[in-house]
């Protein structure tokens, strides 16, 4: 058998090989790269959309809690350091600037001043934190929240505003709060008394009147 015949016979072994495999591989690779780029664009768009919604909610919630105040979230960028949310690039478009973001700045004013550079007290910082939590809650609700004496440093007016907002949001989530102030109790639905004796805590259901009496006694002792 001459060499040409041997080669011909050898090629017959590869008769079932997909001759378009290389072309198909190239097409699949191109499609994968296209889908990966699209996924990256969608991820960037999601970040921008989420920030835009939380920012909007934050401004609205803060104004509900502080009618004379105003607040905003600001994207920090490498190029210009800070960029107001309203100037963010339209989401979903190629060339998103999410990669240039380095963080978020919160600016608030309790007096309505334009510069929003006031020095905040402990109670005011608490209120800003709660406003941000409530803003995120409206955007991406969690089923359960536990607040431990969040109203301790708040003025009575702000305690009432926070209590009413928690009561309003309790329609879509469960809130458990501990408090020694009457304002939170005024909006609560269920009450529990906690006592501690012999190194053991005891929790029992009580009515609203007993809860109010307890916090009034605690307030008098303090």
């Amino acid at each position: 058998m001459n060499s040409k015949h041997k080669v011909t016979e050898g090629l017959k072994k590869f008769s079932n090989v997909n001759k378009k495999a290389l072309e198909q591989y190239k097409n699949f690779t191109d499609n994968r790269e296209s889908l990966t780029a699209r996924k990256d664009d969608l991820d960037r768009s999601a970040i921008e959309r989420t920030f835009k919604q939380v920012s909007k909610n934050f401004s609205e919630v803060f104004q509900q809690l502080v009618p004379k105040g105003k607040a905003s979230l600001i994207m920090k960028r490498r190029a210009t350091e800070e960029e107001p949310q309203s100037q963010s690039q339209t989401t979903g478009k190629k060339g998103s600037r999410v990669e240039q973001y380095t963080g978020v700045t919160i600016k608030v004013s309790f007096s309505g001043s334009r510069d929003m550079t006031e020095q905040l007290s402990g109670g005011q910082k608490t209120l800003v934190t709660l406003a941000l939590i409530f803003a995120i809650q409206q955007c991406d609700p969690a089923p359960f929240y536990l607040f431990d004496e969040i109203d301790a440093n708040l003025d009575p007016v702000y305690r009432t505003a926070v209590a009413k907002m928690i009561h309003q949001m309790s329609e879509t989530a469960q809130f458990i709060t501990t408090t020694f102030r009457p304002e939170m109790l005024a909006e609560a639905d269920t009450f529990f008394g906690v006592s501690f004796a012999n190194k053991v805590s005891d929790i029992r259901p009580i009515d609203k009147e007993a809860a109010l009496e307890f916090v009034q006694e605690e307030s008098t002792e303090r």
Side-chain angles (χ1 to χ4, degrees):
M1 184 180 295
N2 57 39
S3 59
K4 182 179 180 180
H5 183 71
K6 288 182 179 180
V7 172
T8 302
E9 290 297 319
L11 290 174
K12 290 181 179 179
K13 297 178 182 179
F14 302 98
S15 60
N16 294 324
V17 172
N18 183 2
K19 299 180 177 60
K20 295 183 178 181
L22 182 59
E23 181 182 351
Q24 291 174 344
Y25 173 78
K26 183 178 182 302
N27 290 336
F28 290 148
T29 300
D30 291 342
N31 288 338
R32 183 188 64 181
E33 292 176 354
S34 176
L35 290 172
T36 300
R38 183 179 178 187
K39 176 184 177 298
D40 292 341
D41 284 343
L42 290 174
D43 289 343
R44 288 191 293 266
S45 297
I47 292 173
E48 290 182 328
R49 285 198 304 271
T50 301
F51 173 76
K52 182 178 180 180
Q53 187 60 54
V54 172
S55 178
K56 179 177 180 292
N57 293 345
F58 177 67
S59 297
E60 293 175 350
V61 168
F62 187 81
Q63 195 158 40
Q64 283 183 270
L65 297 176
V66 188
K68 293 183 178 180
K70 60 181 181 179
S72 64
L73 296 181
I74 300 173
M75 275 289 194
K76 298 182 67 176
R77 300 178 55 221
R78 292 188 180 89
T80 59
E81 294 187 357
E82 291 186 355
E83 177 187 12
Q85 175 270 323
S86 59
Q87 297 178 5
S88 295
Q89 191 175 31
T90 303
T91 60
K93 292 184 179 180
K94 199 170 183 179
S96 171
R97 293 177 292 183
V98 172
E99 294 85 355
Q100 299 180 32
Y101 299 154
T102 61
V104 177
T105 295
I106 296 178
K107 288 192 175 183
V108 299
S109 171
F110 282 76
S111 61
S113 62
R114 292 185 178 182
D115 54 10
M116 295 191 288
T117 57
E118 304 170 22
Q119 292 295 321
L120 303 182
S121 66
Q124 289 173 329
K125 291 178 181 178
T126 298
L127 205 63
V128 172
T129 302
L130 290 173
L132 183 57
I133 292 174
F134 294 150
I136 296 173
Q137 157 71 10
Q138 291 183 6
C139 184
D140 184 20
F144 176 82
Y145 292 85
L146 176 60
F147 290 150
D148 183 19
E149 290 192 66
I150 58 173
D151 55 348
N153 295 322
L154 299 181
D155 294 337
V157 173
Y158 292 143
R159 288 191 207 123
T160 300
V162 169
K164 288 182 178 179
M165 184 160 290
I166 290 177
H167 183 77
Q168 176 184 344
M169 292 186 170
S170 66
E171 296 180 0
T172 57
Q174 184 179 24
F175 289 83
I176 295 179
T177 65
T178 63
T179 184
F180 288 97
R181 311 294 183 184
E183 291 83 4
M184 195 70 71
L185 299 178
E187 297 291 338
D189 298 318
T190 306
F191 307 87
F192 293 89
V194 181
S195 58
F196 184 78
N198 299 322
K199 299 182 180 180
V200 177
S201 295
D202 177 62
I203 303 176
R204 65 190 187 283
I206 59 177
D207 57 27
K208 187 173 184 177
E209 288 71 21
L212 287 169
E213 181 179 351
F214 174 80
V215 297
Q216 288 172 355
E217 291 176 355
E218 286 292 318
S219 177
T220 300
E221 291 178 3
R222 293 184 180 187

